[in-house]
Every structure is written in structure tokens, then in C-alpha cells.
Amino acid sequence: MRPLLQPIAPEIDDPLALLTACHEKVRRFSTLTRRLVDHVGQRGADAEARDAATSVLRYFDLAAPLHHEDEDLDLFPALRSLGHPDVTAHIARLQAEHDELGALWQATRPWLLAVQAGKVAPGGAAPEAVLTLTERYPAHADAEEAWVYPAAAGLTPEQCRSLSAAMVARRRTP
């Protein structure tokens, strides 16, 4: 049975809806991470904190990289083919942010692993990268949705099918 608070995934025939749903998860896991920082500061890495850290690690280790590949390898090239200079400029900035977000994630991950292992005592401060990540990731998603995703309305049905097929293939287990 699906937990009550888990959103239903959009159909894969609507790749933009799936990408937007990923952004909702980015926002949700960023909020969870901010709450985790406060929780660990007050209570340390108790069972609740360890479970939350495990969830955040799972999302940002597995799903977030796939999402970035969906954009970098498939969506952004398709949108560039439309020939809109402003969209192309935004894509260049957003792809650079993917690298920056990846570096922030790598700086955040050790703290989450320590929480997951129960090795963070109350009163300890999280590294600055943790808070920066929780601010920058949602802002990045907002920028993609505002500046780039609307241009996808200009993609052909074939381009959308190709994007969907690539996203499905990327998630298949070998």
C-alpha cells in the first residue's frame, strides 16, 4: 500500500511532469534536511534522525543524479535544438549549477553518513555546505521551472517520446 503522503508519479508519457515531480522531491528532501539539522542539534543522531538521514542519502545518491542526467543528456539538448538564445543561456547556467550542486552534495554527504551511523551528538553544528545545499537545490529547481521548462512546449511529440524513452532506459536495472 502506498503511504498516504507519497505523491503518485506522473505517467512517463509526460516527461516534463515527471521532471517537475522530481523537483517536488528535491524540495521535500531539502526541507527534511533542514529539519534534520535542527533535530540533530537538539537531540543528536537518534533513531528518527538516522532514518531521515538514510532517506536523504538514498534520494540524493540515486534519484538526483538520474534527474540531472535526464536534463543534461536529453532535455537540455532537445531544448537547445529549438534555437532560443535566452533558453540556451539559461541552460548553460543551470548545467553549471548541476556541477556546483554535485560538489555541495559531496560536502554534505559525510555529515549525513555520520548522522546515519549515529555518530553526531546533540549541540553539534552541521557543516555550512548542508544548509547551502538545502537553499540552493530548491532555488535551482525553481529556476529550471521558470526559465527552461516552459520552452518544452515547443518540443515535437517525437522529441517527447524520445525523452521519455531515455528516462525509462536510464532507470532500468541491468
Side-chain angles (χ1 to χ4, degrees):
M1 182 175 185
R2 178 185 305 280
L4 293 177
L5 297 178
Q6 184 178 359
I8 297 172
E11 295 296 320
I12 195 64
D13 62 349
D14 187 353
L16 266 291
L18 185 61
L19 291 168
T20 302
C22 289
H23 284 173
E24 289 307 314
K25 288 181 182 179
V26 162
R27 291 176 183 103
R28 191 171 82 225
F29 282 106
S30 294
T31 298
L32 177 59
T33 304
R34 280 194 307 271
R35 290 177 44 219
L36 180 60
V37 168
D38 293 338
H39 180 96
V40 170
Q42 294 172 4
R43 299 183 187 158
D46 61 8
E48 188 177 357
R50 291 190 305 271
D51 288 346
T54 298
S55 295
V56 172
L57 283 160
R58 185 179 322 113
Y59 180 77
F60 283 105
D61 276 345
L62 301 173
L66 291 173
H67 175 77
H68 285 190
E69 288 179 12
D70 292 338
E71 292 172 338
D72 292 339
L73 301 178
D74 299 301
L75 176 64
F76 292 165
L79 293 176
R80 278 191 191 99
S81 76
L82 299 175
H84 301 298
D86 56 330
V87 173
T88 299
H90 287 305
I91 288 171
R93 179 178 156 255
L94 293 166
Q95 282 188 296
E97 284 183 10
H98 284 177
D99 294 338
E100 295 166 10
L101 291 168
L104 279 171
W105 172 243
Q106 291 308 312
T108 296
R109 203 170 179 281
W111 181 79
L112 287 164
L113 288 169
V115 172
Q116 183 184 43
K119 296 182 179 180
V120 179
E128 184 65 29
V130 177
L131 296 175
T132 302
L133 181 84
T134 66
E135 294 168 2
R136 297 255 336 260
Y137 239 116
H140 174 82
D142 292 344
E144 286 179 337
E145 290 174 11
W147 300 335
V148 176
Y149 282 20
L155 297 175
T156 66
E158 179 54 37
Q159 286 174 306
C160 289
R161 282 191 294 277
S162 177
L163 179 57
S164 293
M167 291 169 70
V168 168
R170 193 169 285 116
R171 286 157 178 80
R172 283 200 180 114
T173 54

